[in-house]
Amino acid sequence: MTPRGSRWYLFDYGMVISTAPAPQDWGLLEQATGLRELEPGTSPYWQRREDFDAGRLTPAQYWESVLGRDARQAEVNTLEELDAAQWAHLNPRTMEVLETLHGEGANLALLSNMPDGMSRRYSAESPWAHYFSKLYFSGQMGLVKPDRRIFERVVAGLGAAPEDIVFIDDNPQNISTAQDLGFRTILHTGGTDLRAELSGR
């Protein structure tokens, strides 16, 4: 993996740098909320998640929508802690690639759909954050992938041509939008050998 001049490597976070929450993580969140089966995409956890990721809901508004009732601040704080913890499990293979790229002086940036509070927590505390010279989070930008406007803002922020950006993401819709804008892309799945995919990019 040899960095080339002005090339940028733009990483997604969830399911690329992080792994999926474990069953016990969902179990702790279900215990705290008193709800069952929060993991499926039709659950209350996901129904307003895009609005939360986009910064259109405060933590209290989001968690009250999940709970279906008012929530005390202490309860919201607990749910925020559990939510941040369940998405904090790191993919060791991706971390190895980040360490290698960083050591080679590569230009590294991150673009993630993530609520504002979680993004600020991770930026301050997480071991992966120091690899990146640019961090872009939906909750701070007021836009979410796959909206092409968030990609356009990243292009402007990086000062790079789209063809000089290699975008790694697990969501085909996000990949499609990036491709339409001229990005080089890698669809990251459980079986992706990222080191091999990035070789020569």
Side-chain angles (χ1 to χ4, degrees):
M1 295 179 293
T2 304
R4 300 181 180 182
S6 60
R7 180 156 302 161
W8 281 87
Y9 296 93
L10 180 64
F11 282 75
D12 177 37
Y13 177 73
M15 308 302 292
V16 176
I17 294 173
S18 76
T19 59
Q24 56 265 36
D25 294 314
W26 289 111
L28 289 171
L29 197 59
E30 289 163 0
Q31 183 178 8
T33 59
L35 301 173
R36 298 179 60 185
E37 298 184 2
L38 288 178
E39 182 178 5
T42 55
S43 83
Y45 177 89
W46 295 108
Q47 287 174 9
R48 300 293 306 279
R49 191 69 184 194
E50 182 173 303
D51 288 329
F52 191 31
D53 284 346
R56 293 190 287 266
L57 296 178
T58 66
Q61 289 170 331
Y62 169 70
W63 289 109
E64 287 177 354
S65 77
V66 173
L67 295 166
R69 58 172 174 77
D70 292 341
R72 293 172 291 105
Q73 187 59 50
E75 184 176 20
V76 172
N77 293 344
T78 296
L79 296 173
E80 286 283 275
E81 291 278 352
L82 290 172
D83 199 31
Q86 76 169 0
W87 290 104
H89 306 301
L90 301 180
N91 183 329
R93 292 183 297 173
T94 304
M95 291 296 289
E96 289 175 4
V97 169
L98 287 173
E99 184 173 359
T100 298
L101 286 170
H102 185 261
E104 293 175 346
N107 297 314
L108 297 176
L110 179 134
L111 173 61
S112 175
N113 285 352
M114 187 183 294
D116 182 55
M118 185 183 292
S119 69
R120 296 186 188 279
R121 180 195 303 264
Y122 286 171
S123 296
E125 301 174 0
S126 298
W128 51 264
H130 77 278
Y131 290 125
F132 297 95
S133 56
K134 300 280 189 177
L135 295 170
Y136 298 96
F137 297 106
S138 62
Q140 298 179 28
M141 299 173 75
L143 295 166
V144 293
K145 297 177 291 184
D147 189 324
R148 66 183 290 128
R149 292 174 297 173
I150 198 170
F151 291 95
E152 290 168 345
R153 286 179 59 179
V154 169
V155 170
L158 296 180
E163 60 267 24
D164 287 330
I165 300 172
V166 180
F167 176 57
I168 303 103
D169 197 290
D170 69 303
N171 187 317
Q173 289 182 301
N174 299 340
I175 290 290
S176 179
T177 299
Q179 287 175 338
D180 288 345
L181 289 168
F183 287 47
R184 301 167 183 260
T185 61
I186 296 171
L187 179 62
H188 191 278
T189 67
T192 297
D193 184 340
L194 189 54
R195 190 179 298 272
E197 291 283 348
L198 287 174
S199 179
R201 294 287 186 122

